[in-house]
Amino acid sequence: KVNSIVPVGGLPSGANGGIIQVVSTTKTDTFSTSSSSMTDITGLSVTITPSSASSKILVLVHCTGNGDGGTRVNFRMMRGSTAIGIADANGNRVRTFGGIFAPNNDNTTETVSAVHLDSPATTSATTYKVQVSNMGSSTVYVNRSDGYTDHITHNSGTSSITVMEVTV
């Protein structure tokens, strides 16, 4: 009876809402960059092909990381080359969905999450991904702490991106 919960061919005429497909990935290895430009996080992207141009895509992002002392870590969601789910333009401020300030000698990871309902208006394969940038002069890390020696007080983490096609 699974198909009666979310029919494979979509919802019956006149019905509203329903999740047609889900694509997800979890990044378990680490990533780092010293770039002040937004940089794709390797392994933190998914591709979905909407069944209808009127469908919405619900994007759920969970990012874990840190940086060298005094670094500001910024995260941004992307649909292809278009930033989505970001703040309005406001002077020189970086437009992101969230960020981390990494104090000196921080041995734990911090987490930022975001949920965004996107309207890609296409039936073509569409890639969603997460980018990160360093707004200090040091290195930012994904899925690991700044202090990262093999010790019980230093931790690793995971990051993930999940997209769901939602009919409207």
Side-chain angles (χ1 to χ4, degrees):
K1 289 282 183 173
V2 172
N3 283 347
S4 66
I5 297 170
V6 180
V8 173
L11 295 170
S13 178
N16 285 327
I19 295 174
I20 293 184
Q21 59 176 316
V22 178
V23 183
S24 182
T25 191
T26 298
K27 180 177 179 62
T28 57
D29 61 341
T30 63
F31 176 84
S32 64
T33 182
S34 298
S35 177
S36 60
S37 298
M38 286 291 180
T39 303
D40 292 353
I41 300 173
T42 306
L44 204 53
S45 68
V46 291
T47 300
I48 190 168
T49 303
S51 61
S52 170
S54 64
S55 291
K56 307 284 187 187
I57 304 296
L58 183 62
V59 185
L60 300 95
V61 173
H62 167 93
C63 291
T64 299
N66 211 308
D68 290 337
T71 299
R72 287 146 184 88
V73 184
N74 292 304
F75 292 99
R76 182 168 73 178
M77 263 187 285
M78 302 290 291
R79 178 196 342 108
S81 60
T82 302
I84 60 171
I86 58 173
D88 291 341
N90 188 352
N92 291 318
R93 293 167 182 85
V94 180
R95 299 174 69 193
T96 68
F97 71 78
I100 297 167
F101 173 71
N104 289 324
N105 302 316
D106 192 358
N107 297 331
T108 60
T109 56
E110 297 186 37
T111 301
V112 292
S113 298
V115 176
H116 174 70
L117 188 61
D118 191 41
S119 301
T122 185
T123 56
S124 298
T126 304
T127 299
Y128 290 88
K129 61 187 176 182
V130 184
Q131 296 181 323
V132 67
S133 71
N134 166 28
M135 299 313 292
S137 58
S138 301
T139 303
V140 298
Y141 305 106
V142 176
N143 290 351
R144 59 157 279 191
S145 56
D146 169 19
Y148 198 58
T149 58
D150 187 11
H151 193 272
I152 194 169
T153 62
H154 299 190
N155 75 309
S156 300
T158 63
S159 297
S160 64
I161 181 169
T162 300
V163 295
M164 303 180 190
E165 181 181 2
V166 181
T167 62
V168 292

